[in-house]
Amino acid sequence: MRSMIRKAGALLAAFAIAGTLTACGPGSANNAKEDTKPTDVNTDLGDKKYELTLWDGAGLKAVDEALIAGFEAKYPNITIKGQYDPDNVSGQNGPRVISASDAPDIARVTDMNTAVRGNHLISLEAYVKAYGWDVPDSQTELYRVDSNGKLGDGDLYALPNSYSVTGIYFNTKLAKQLGIDAAPKSVDEFVQDMQKAKDGGVLPMMTYAKDGGTSFVFQALMANNSSAKDVQNWILQKSGSFDTKAAQDAAATLQEWNKKGYLPKGVNAVDASTALSRFCSGEGLFFPSGNWNLDTIAKSLGEDVQFFAFPGATAEDEPNVAANAGAFYGIPVNSKNHDAAAAFLNYTQSDEAQQIIVDNSGYLPKASTDGLKANSTLQQSMFDSYAGVLTSGHTSDFINNATAGMQASGLIPNFQLLLDNSITPQEFTKNVQAQYEKEAKQ
C-alpha cells in the first residue's frame, strides 16, 4: 500500500502543473503586486518560536513528513504541521488553498500561472540570493514567470528539490534468457531486442494506452528526431508546433511497433495500474514509465531489473529525457512566516534532505548522487544512468503538461486512434496541435 501511495503522489507530481499554461486566476487578487517581491529577507531566525503549515497531496505525505522531521531536528524552535488533500483533488484544490486568507506557509504549487497572476505567491529571488541556491534555468523553467505572466523566464516562484524522470524498466532475467546481456544503447538496438523478445515468446514492451502511458516512449522518439529544446519550447508555448515531421515519424514508429506485436495485445484497454502489475509479475522485457514506480518494481523484481534512459538515435547520441520536479514548494503571500518557510525550502536543498528523499521516494535527487546511498539495486541503476542528465540540456517537461486539457483531450484519445489504426501519424499530429491551439488561445 505504501508503495502505491508513493506512486500516486509521484503521478501527481508528474502532471501537477498541467494547468499552469492556460488557467485563469480564481477571482480577483487580494494582494498588491509589490508584496509578492520581498527584498528584505532574513536567514537568521534566532530562537523565536514558529508554527508553520505545509500543504501537499496525500501521496507525498511519507517523504514530506520525513523531511519535516529532519528539519525540526535542526530547528527545534520551528514546528511544521502537514495538511494533505487526496491526490485526485489536490490539483483542483491547489489554487484555492494558496489564495486563501489563511494560506499555508509552504505549499506545492499546482497551477503556477494562477498563483503568480493572482499575486498569491512570493518571488523566491531574494532567498535564492540570500541562501545561494543552485537553480539552473534548465531545471527551473516551469517555475519561473516573467513580468508579462509568461512561463519559462523571470523570477522563481517554486523551488524543486527532486525530479521525476521517465525511462525504461528492463527485466534483466528475461533478457538473459533471450541472450541479451546489456541495455540497448541506440534505438536500433532497442528494436532488435524487442524483436528477440517476440521471437522468444516474450512480450517486448509492456505499456498502456488507456490513460496515456504511450506518451513516454513517443516523447523520447520525438525528441530524438528533433531536440529536447524544441519539445520544451512547444510545451512552454514559446515556439514550434506538434504537427512536425519529427512528431509524425515518432507516431509512425509507435504505430508500427504495435502492428508488429511489440506492445501488449489490446493496449488501448490497458491502464497504468494493470501494466505495472503485469510487469511486476514478470511480463514484458521493457516497461516505459517513470521513477515514481521504482519502489514497487524493486520490491517485486529485486535484482532482476534495471532502469535506464531511453536511448538516443545512435549510440553516440545522448538520451533525451522527460523530467519535472518531484516536489516543488512555493510560499504563499498570505503566509505570516515567509522567512521560516524559506528556511524549510533551504533545508530541502541539503545533502541530508537529499538522502531523506532517496530513502522515502523513487525521485531523482536534485543534487549530484555522489555520496548518496541507493536503497535498491534498481535505484542505483537510476543513479548510474541519469548522472548529469538534469544539466545535460537534453531534458524537457512532459508533453502532457503543454495545456490543461492536453492529456485527456489531446493525447489519450489520439494515441488510441493511432494505435487502432483509425488515424494516420499525420492526422495524429494535426489533432494534437489543434487541441493545443484551442486551449492556448483561451
Side-chain angles (χ1 to χ4, degrees):
M1 175 61 73
R2 184 180 178 193
S3 62
M4 292 306 292
I5 290 174
R6 288 182 187 167
K7 173 179 175 260
L11 286 172
L12 161 72
F15 304 115
I17 56 173
T20 59
L21 301 176
T22 59
C24 296
S28 60
N30 296 319
N31 306 290
K33 190 170 183 179
E34 54 268 22
D35 293 341
T36 68
K37 293 180 178 286
T39 56
D40 184 16
V41 301
N42 186 14
T43 61
D44 183 3
L45 302 178
D47 296 326
K48 179 182 176 181
K49 299 290 186 181
Y50 294 90
E51 294 182 359
L52 308 183
T53 55
L54 179 150
W55 177 84
D56 207 342
L60 281 301
K61 182 177 180 180
V63 66
D64 285 350
E65 294 296 319
L67 287 169
I68 289 171
F71 174 76
E72 289 179 342
K74 283 192 170 296
Y75 290 85
N77 57 317
I78 305 176
T79 59
I80 301 178
K81 180 180 179 180
Q83 300 173 342
Y84 303 95
D85 278 5
D87 289 325
N88 62 336
V89 297
S90 60
Q92 174 185 343
N93 290 346
R96 174 186 56 78
V97 170
I98 287 176
S99 64
S101 59
D102 59 347
D105 300 288
I106 305 154
R108 181 178 302 279
V109 184
T110 64
D111 191 331
M112 187 64 68
N113 267 359
T114 293
V116 176
R117 289 178 179 176
N119 298 324
H120 300 308
L121 281 180
I122 68 166
S123 164
L124 298 177
E125 288 300 320
Y127 292 110
V128 171
K129 183 177 180 180
Y131 281 109
W133 292 337
D134 180 18
V135 286
D137 289 345
S138 63
Q139 297 179 39
T140 57
E141 278 187 304
L142 286 168
Y143 317 107
R144 295 184 178 278
V145 183
D146 67 17
S147 58
N148 296 316
K150 293 291 290 183
L151 223 64
D153 296 295
D155 281 10
L156 186 73
Y157 285 88
L159 182 67
N161 63 39
S162 59
Y163 287 85
S164 292
V165 294
T166 58
I168 306 293
Y169 290 96
F170 178 42
N171 188 317
T172 54
K173 181 178 180 179
L174 291 178
K176 290 176 183 177
Q177 294 172 4
L178 294 166
I180 300 169
D181 57 8
K185 293 184 170 26
S186 69
V187 173
D188 284 346
E189 288 184 14
F190 186 81
V191 173
Q192 291 167 13
D193 289 347
M194 287 198 295
Q195 186 61 50
K196 286 180 182 178
K198 183 183 177 184
D199 293 342
V202 171
L203 175 66
M205 183 196 297
M206 176 56 67
T207 188
Y208 54 98
K210 186 174 181 179
D211 43 12
T214 47
S215 67
F216 299 134
V217 70
F218 167 84
Q219 182 169 344
L221 288 166
M222 179 173 65
N224 281 353
N225 294 339
S226 55
S227 70
K229 187 64 176 177
D230 287 344
V231 175
Q232 183 78 331
N233 285 339
W234 178 78
I235 294 169
L236 292 175
Q237 298 182 12
K238 286 185 174 182
S239 63
S241 170
F242 194 87
D243 189 19
T244 63
K245 187 175 186 303
Q248 291 165 7
D249 288 348
T253 297
L254 190 64
Q255 189 178 57
E256 179 186 10
W257 287 354
N258 193 42
K259 289 178 181 178
K260 288 184 174 182
Y262 293 164
L263 279 57
K265 185 176 181 180
V267 65
N268 282 346
V270 181
D271 62 19
S273 60
T274 300
L276 176 62
S277 176
R278 287 170 64 178
F279 185 76
C280 286
S281 298
E283 185 178 356
L285 177 64
F286 297 124
F287 178 39
S289 186
N291 59 333
W292 50 85
N293 283 324
L294 270 166
D295 188 50
T296 301
I297 293 174
K299 289 178 179 177
S300 298
L301 297 180
E303 303 291 314
D304 295 328
V305 63
Q306 294 178 5
F307 187 58
F308 66 92
F310 187 83
T314 72
E316 289 72 37
D317 294 325
E318 288 194 53
N320 292 289
V321 176
N324 70 9
F328 42 99
Y329 300 117
I331 301 176
V333 168
N334 288 338
S335 161
K336 305 299 190 295
N337 303 293
H338 292 175
D339 287 340
F344 176 76
L345 267 60
N346 182 61
Y347 173 74
T348 68
Q349 306 298 294
S350 68
D351 291 344
E352 177 182 304
Q354 294 292 291
Q355 185 63 57
I356 290 173
I357 290 167
V358 167
D359 291 341
N360 291 274
S361 76
Y363 294 145
L364 186 68
K366 170 195 171 292
S368 167
T369 58
D370 293 344
L372 297 180
K373 182 181 178 181
N375 55 35
S376 67
T377 300
L378 179 57
Q379 191 170 52
Q380 186 61 55
S381 72
M382 178 185 71
F383 287 179
D384 295 341
S385 296
Y386 288 78
V389 72
L390 295 176
T391 56
S392 68
H394 288 266
T395 63
S396 61
D397 195 77
F398 298 90
I399 56 174
N400 316 63
N401 288 334
T403 68
M406 181 53 61
Q407 174 80 335
S409 301
L411 293 174
I412 290 176
N414 284 293
F415 271 124
Q416 292 181 342
L417 291 170
L418 177 74
L419 292 171
D420 71 9
N421 304 311
S422 295
I423 59 174
T424 66
Q426 291 74 24
E427 291 170 324
F428 170 81
T429 59
K430 288 184 187 304
N431 291 350
V432 173
Q433 181 62 22
Q435 177 65 31
Y436 176 91
E437 292 177 357
K438 175 183 176 182
E439 294 190 61
K441 291 177 180 178
Q442 292 177 353

